[in-house]
Amino acid sequence: MARAAGPDWFRLNRVTHRDVGYFVAVLTVLYAVSGLAVNHTDDWNPTYAITTAEVELGPVDVTDLNAAEAQIVAALKLDPAEVRGHHHVSPTELKVFLDEGGEVSVDPATGHGRLKRVTPRAGLFQANALHLNRLKGVWTYVADAYAVLLLYLSIGGILMLRGKTGLLGRGKWIVAAGALVPIGFLWAW
Amino acid sequence: MVLALTFVSSFLACSKGETPAPAATEPAPAASAAPAAASAAKLDGEVYGAGVSLAESTPVSKLLADVDAYDGKTVRVEGLVTEVCEKRGCWMNIAGDQPFQNLRFKVQDGEITIPVSAKGKYAVAEGTISKVELSKEDALAMREHEAEEQGKPVDESAPLPTFSVKLAGKGAVIRERM
């Protein structure tokens, strides 16, 4: 029997699925890597690399806080251009702020302190900004469009094949198994 | 003399990783980088969330002096950003107009992300004042958490706060300088 005239939807789906897959591949990798990173935020900082070094400066006179800041900057040989200012947090803590969120925290009486440096993690900082929509604005709509394409990839994927390996064959069991994972966790929650 | 004032910012608002603001103490003669006076600021700078709509800022010292009167009210505050949530960007501490005072500006995770680079900049922020009573267990946990975050030993001699104050953030404008 001759096939009915008209588009071959299965073929069209395969071709579209392939090309949409190519199109979103890079962003999907970025989102996946970011997802792995931010899933473990309790254990590490997925966005910034933060290093801390103990420093000994000797007693710092806080009568004049500008002079105290200058003393700290000179003692640590910091570039004055990276210094943003200072804040007398408490009687036992004076902070000097540096670019990018770095700081020097010193106990003025003892001169003991910590130099903290903050550096955005190359790649992850940018991936997280996209994934967590820190860009806001137009990116929100780009991310919406990306989500729609992912929906298509998911639905188009399960409808791609016919026969024994298709959705009506063993596919339905595999889809059901995949659905049971979140359902099971939510049920146990 | 160190007063046992209990104005601290909430540590309850963020999950693991949040550092509570230090307890406020008696003003000292030395001035810090707090604003000289609260006033209608020229709002240039980076806008976060809904930004700022109120025209006048309330001094942090005034808020902390009468927390009950401001509890639940929407206010605008301004000051130096002294600390930022490094992992999630979900809070920042704003220096008060008196030495040794801080107010925590807390935002919903994901709604606003405050970058770590905001530290040392000047913020004008708007939100709702919220007072949270602390049990002794809460206060002890907060003190331990703060010490852990800062890599310092727990100061057993410090007075325990009985309540915390936070500013539930709606928006902010952050700029380089006051």
Side-chain angles (χ1 to χ4, degrees), chain B residues 84-105:
Chain B
V84 176
C85 174
E86 292 172 343
K87 287 187 173 178
R88 294 179 172 87
C90 60
W91 56 261
M92 64 178 168
N93 285 345
I94 297 175
D97 50 300
Q98 296 293 320
F100 310 152
Q101 286 184 335
N102 272 303
L103 183 67
R104 177 154 299 175
F105 176 79

Side-chain angles (χ1 to χ4, degrees), chain A:
Chain A
M1 191 173 81
R3 284 179 56 193
D8 180 343
W9 291 107
F10 283 93
R11 183 176 182 282
L12 184 63
N13 183 36
R14 279 200 305 276
V15 171
T16 308
H17 195 278
R18 177 196 67 201
D19 289 346
V20 170
Y22 286 146
F23 185 71
V24 301
V26 171
L27 191 52
T28 303
V29 169
L30 285 179
Y31 272 39
V33 170
S34 170
L36 285 169
V38 300
N39 261 357
H40 301 278
T41 298
D42 283 349
D43 303 317
W44 78 316
N45 190 320
T47 308
Y48 299 99
I50 298 174
T51 58
T52 305
E54 302 286 317
V55 294
E56 295 294 343
L57 304 173
V60 177
D61 181 1
V62 291
T63 310
D64 179 345
L65 291 176
N66 289 322
E69 175 190 302
Q71 180 187 340
I72 292 168
V73 170
L76 294 175
K77 297 184 173 58
L78 299 172
D79 179 0
E82 71 169 327
V83 178
R84 282 193 179 153
H86 57 260
H87 178 54
H88 203 182
V89 180
S90 73
T92 58
E93 185 176 22
L94 173 65
K95 279 187 178 180
V96 173
F97 300 111
L98 309 176
D99 275 347
E100 300 300 332
E103 66 179 31
V104 185
S105 169
V106 179
D107 181 339
T110 65
H112 179 72
R114 296 181 306 156
L115 170 61
K116 183 190 284 186
R117 293 283 189 190
V118 179
T119 311
R121 294 187 189 278
L124 271 181
F125 178 85
Q126 292 81 4
N128 293 342
L130 294 172
H131 183 205
L132 303 176
N133 192 18
R134 289 175 176 157
L135 279 66
K136 305 288 184 192
V138 175
W139 181 254
T140 303
Y141 302 104
V142 176
D144 287 347
Y146 171 64
V148 170
L149 291 178
L150 285 185
L151 271 175
Y152 163 68
L153 286 181
S154 176
I155 295 167
I158 62 176
L159 297 175
M160 188 176 288
L161 297 177
R162 285 177 280 199
K164 286 192 301 186
T165 55
L167 182 63
L168 298 179
R170 68 174 182 142
K172 62 178 176 291
W173 302 115
I174 300 174
V175 169
L180 280 177
V181 174
I183 290 170
F185 272 88
L186 287 171
W187 179 78
W189 186 39

Side-chain angles (χ1 to χ4, degrees), chain B residues 34-40 57 59 78 97 122 178:
Chain B
S39 60
S57 292
E78 57 188 278
D97 50 300
Y122 192 83
M178 181 176 166

